[in-house]
Short mmCIF file of all heavy atoms in Angstrom, two decimals:
data_model
loop_
_atom_site.label_atom_id
_atom_site.label_comp_id
_atom_site.label_asym_id
_atom_site.label_seq_id
_atom_site.Cartn_x
_atom_site.Cartn_y
_atom_site.Cartn_z
N ILE A 1 8.20 -3.50 1.02
CA ILE A 1 7.74 -3.79 -0.33
C ILE A 1 8.54 -2.98 -1.34
O ILE A 1 8.98 -3.50 -2.38
CB ILE A 1 6.24 -3.48 -0.47
CG1 ILE A 1 5.42 -4.46 0.38
CG2 ILE A 1 5.80 -3.57 -1.93
CD1 ILE A 1 3.96 -4.10 0.48
N LYS A 2 8.77 -1.70 -1.03
CA LYS A 2 9.47 -0.82 -1.97
C LYS A 2 10.96 -1.14 -2.08
O LYS A 2 11.62 -0.69 -3.02
CB LYS A 2 9.27 0.64 -1.57
CG LYS A 2 7.83 1.10 -1.72
CD LYS A 2 7.71 2.61 -1.64
CE LYS A 2 8.01 3.15 -0.28
NZ LYS A 2 7.80 4.63 -0.22
N SER A 3 11.48 -1.90 -1.12
CA SER A 3 12.92 -2.23 -1.17
C SER A 3 13.18 -3.65 -1.67
O SER A 3 14.32 -4.09 -1.68
CB SER A 3 13.53 -2.04 0.23
OG SER A 3 12.94 -2.94 1.16
N LEU A 4 12.14 -4.37 -2.08
CA LEU A 4 12.31 -5.77 -2.49
C LEU A 4 13.09 -5.92 -3.78
O LEU A 4 13.85 -6.87 -3.95
CB LEU A 4 10.93 -6.44 -2.66
CG LEU A 4 10.19 -6.83 -1.39
CD1 LEU A 4 8.81 -7.36 -1.74
CD2 LEU A 4 10.96 -7.88 -0.61
N PHE A 5 12.90 -5.00 -4.72
CA PHE A 5 13.45 -5.18 -6.05
C PHE A 5 14.47 -4.08 -6.36
O PHE A 5 14.28 -3.26 -7.25
CB PHE A 5 12.34 -5.18 -7.10
CG PHE A 5 11.34 -6.29 -6.91
CD1 PHE A 5 10.20 -6.08 -6.16
CD2 PHE A 5 11.55 -7.53 -7.47
CE1 PHE A 5 9.28 -7.11 -5.97
CE2 PHE A 5 10.64 -8.56 -7.29
CZ PHE A 5 9.50 -8.35 -6.54
N GLU A 6 15.53 -4.06 -5.56
CA GLU A 6 16.55 -3.04 -5.71
C GLU A 6 17.21 -3.06 -7.09
O GLU A 6 17.54 -2.02 -7.65
CB GLU A 6 17.63 -3.20 -4.63
CG GLU A 6 17.14 -2.94 -3.22
CD GLU A 6 16.96 -1.47 -2.93
OE1 GLU A 6 17.29 -0.65 -3.79
OE2 GLU A 6 16.47 -1.15 -1.83
N ALA A 7 17.38 -4.26 -7.64
CA ALA A 7 18.10 -4.38 -8.91
C ALA A 7 17.21 -4.20 -10.12
O ALA A 7 17.70 -4.01 -11.24
CB ALA A 7 18.80 -5.75 -8.98
N ASP A 8 15.91 -4.27 -9.96
CA ASP A 8 14.99 -4.20 -11.09
C ASP A 8 13.99 -3.08 -10.88
O ASP A 8 13.36 -2.99 -9.84
CB ASP A 8 14.21 -5.52 -11.24
CG ASP A 8 15.13 -6.71 -11.44
OD1 ASP A 8 15.96 -6.65 -12.36
OD2 ASP A 8 15.02 -7.67 -10.65
N THR A 9 13.84 -2.24 -11.90
CA THR A 9 12.86 -1.16 -11.81
C THR A 9 11.49 -1.61 -12.29
O THR A 9 10.50 -0.91 -12.12
CB THR A 9 13.31 0.05 -12.62
OG1 THR A 9 13.55 -0.35 -13.98
CG2 THR A 9 14.59 0.64 -12.04
N THR A 10 11.41 -2.78 -12.93
CA THR A 10 10.12 -3.33 -13.35
C THR A 10 10.02 -4.79 -12.92
O THR A 10 11.02 -5.50 -12.90
CB THR A 10 9.94 -3.25 -14.88
OG1 THR A 10 10.96 -4.00 -15.53
CG2 THR A 10 10.00 -1.80 -15.36
N PHE A 11 8.81 -5.22 -12.57
CA PHE A 11 8.59 -6.60 -12.15
C PHE A 11 7.10 -6.88 -12.23
O PHE A 11 6.28 -5.96 -12.37
CB PHE A 11 9.13 -6.85 -10.74
CG PHE A 11 8.80 -5.77 -9.76
CD1 PHE A 11 7.65 -5.82 -8.98
CD2 PHE A 11 9.64 -4.66 -9.63
CE1 PHE A 11 7.34 -4.81 -8.10
CE2 PHE A 11 9.33 -3.64 -8.73
CZ PHE A 11 8.18 -3.72 -7.97
N THR A 12 6.73 -8.14 -12.13
CA THR A 12 5.33 -8.52 -12.29
C THR A 12 4.60 -8.55 -10.94
O THR A 12 5.22 -8.66 -9.88
CB THR A 12 5.21 -9.90 -12.94
OG1 THR A 12 5.73 -10.89 -12.03
CG2 THR A 12 5.98 -9.96 -14.26
N GLY A 13 3.30 -8.49 -11.00
CA GLY A 13 2.50 -8.62 -9.80
C GLY A 13 2.66 -9.98 -9.15
O GLY A 13 2.59 -10.12 -7.93
N GLN A 14 2.91 -11.00 -9.98
CA GLN A 14 3.14 -12.34 -9.44
C GLN A 14 4.42 -12.36 -8.60
O GLN A 14 4.45 -12.94 -7.50
CB GLN A 14 3.24 -13.35 -10.58
CG GLN A 14 3.41 -14.78 -10.11
CD GLN A 14 3.57 -15.74 -11.28
OE1 GLN A 14 4.50 -15.63 -12.08
NE2 GLN A 14 2.64 -16.67 -11.39
N GLN A 15 5.48 -11.75 -9.09
CA GLN A 15 6.72 -11.67 -8.31
C GLN A 15 6.50 -10.95 -6.99
O GLN A 15 7.01 -11.37 -5.95
CB GLN A 15 7.80 -10.96 -9.13
CG GLN A 15 8.32 -11.74 -10.32
CD GLN A 15 9.27 -10.91 -11.16
OE1 GLN A 15 8.93 -9.81 -11.59
NE2 GLN A 15 10.47 -11.43 -11.39
N LEU A 16 5.75 -9.87 -7.04
CA LEU A 16 5.51 -9.09 -5.83
C LEU A 16 4.70 -9.87 -4.81
O LEU A 16 5.05 -9.91 -3.63
CB LEU A 16 4.78 -7.79 -6.20
CG LEU A 16 4.45 -6.85 -5.05
CD1 LEU A 16 5.72 -6.38 -4.35
CD2 LEU A 16 3.65 -5.64 -5.56
N SER A 17 3.64 -10.53 -5.25
CA SER A 17 2.75 -11.23 -4.30
C SER A 17 3.44 -12.42 -3.65
O SER A 17 3.04 -12.84 -2.56
CB SER A 17 1.47 -11.68 -5.01
OG SER A 17 1.75 -12.53 -6.09
N ARG A 18 4.47 -12.96 -4.27
CA ARG A 18 5.19 -14.09 -3.69
C ARG A 18 6.21 -13.66 -2.65
O ARG A 18 6.71 -14.51 -1.89
CB ARG A 18 5.89 -14.88 -4.79
CG ARG A 18 4.93 -15.70 -5.66
CD ARG A 18 5.69 -16.41 -6.76
NE ARG A 18 4.80 -17.27 -7.55
CZ ARG A 18 5.18 -17.95 -8.63
NH1 ARG A 18 6.44 -17.87 -9.05
NH2 ARG A 18 4.32 -18.70 -9.28
N ARG A 19 6.51 -12.37 -2.57
CA ARG A 19 7.61 -11.94 -1.72
C ARG A 19 7.19 -11.03 -0.57
O ARG A 19 8.04 -10.60 0.21
CB ARG A 19 8.69 -11.24 -2.56
CG ARG A 19 9.38 -12.18 -3.54
CD ARG A 19 10.51 -11.49 -4.28
NE ARG A 19 11.54 -11.01 -3.36
CZ ARG A 19 12.64 -10.36 -3.76
NH1 ARG A 19 12.82 -10.11 -5.04
NH2 ARG A 19 13.51 -9.95 -2.87
N ILE A 20 5.91 -10.73 -0.46
CA ILE A 20 5.50 -9.85 0.63
C ILE A 20 4.64 -10.61 1.64
O ILE A 20 4.10 -11.67 1.35
CB ILE A 20 4.75 -8.60 0.12
CG1 ILE A 20 3.46 -8.99 -0.60
CG2 ILE A 20 5.63 -7.79 -0.78
CD1 ILE A 20 2.67 -7.79 -1.06
N LYS A 21 4.52 -10.04 2.80
CA LYS A 21 3.81 -10.66 3.92
C LYS A 21 2.33 -10.81 3.61
O LYS A 21 1.71 -9.95 3.00
CB LYS A 21 4.00 -9.78 5.16
CG LYS A 21 3.39 -10.33 6.43
CD LYS A 21 3.66 -9.37 7.59
CE LYS A 21 3.02 -9.87 8.88
NZ LYS A 21 3.26 -8.93 9.99
N GLU A 22 1.77 -11.94 4.03
CA GLU A 22 0.35 -12.17 3.85
C GLU A 22 -0.46 -11.10 4.59
O GLU A 22 -0.05 -10.57 5.61
CB GLU A 22 -0.06 -13.55 4.36
CG GLU A 22 0.33 -14.69 3.45
CD GLU A 22 -0.48 -15.95 3.73
OE1 GLU A 22 -1.35 -15.91 4.62
OE2 GLU A 22 -0.24 -16.96 3.06
N GLY A 23 -1.62 -10.79 4.04
CA GLY A 23 -2.49 -9.81 4.65
C GLY A 23 -3.10 -8.93 3.60
O GLY A 23 -3.09 -9.26 2.40
N PHE A 24 -3.66 -7.80 4.02
CA PHE A 24 -4.19 -6.87 3.04
C PHE A 24 -3.66 -5.48 3.31
O PHE A 24 -3.37 -5.10 4.44
CB PHE A 24 -5.73 -6.89 3.01
CG PHE A 24 -6.38 -6.27 4.22
CD1 PHE A 24 -6.74 -4.92 4.20
CD2 PHE A 24 -6.65 -7.01 5.35
CE1 PHE A 24 -7.33 -4.34 5.30
CE2 PHE A 24 -7.26 -6.43 6.45
CZ PHE A 24 -7.60 -5.10 6.43
N TYR A 25 -3.50 -4.72 2.22
CA TYR A 25 -2.91 -3.40 2.26
C TYR A 25 -3.85 -2.43 1.57
O TYR A 25 -4.37 -2.72 0.49
CB TYR A 25 -1.56 -3.40 1.55
CG TYR A 25 -0.61 -4.46 2.06
CD1 TYR A 25 -0.66 -5.78 1.59
CD2 TYR A 25 0.35 -4.15 3.02
CE1 TYR A 25 0.20 -6.75 2.08
CE2 TYR A 25 1.23 -5.12 3.50
CZ TYR A 25 1.14 -6.42 3.02
OH TYR A 25 1.99 -7.38 3.49
#
């Protein structure tokens, strides 16, 4: 999760939820 957005230091929760594995953390 922490390595998904190497080029951007800011991003939305929508962007994050679309790119990580289903489940709960």
Side-chain angles (χ1 to χ4, degrees):
I1 293 171
K2 293 194 292 184
S3 63
L4 284 175
F5 299 92
E6 294 284 356
D8 302 306
T9 56
T10 61
F11 44 91
T12 67
Q14 183 183 60
Q15 290 174 306
L16 180 61
S17 59
R18 287 178 176 176
R19 294 185 61 180
I20 63 177
K21 184 179 178 181
E22 284 199 1
F24 71 92
Y25 306 84

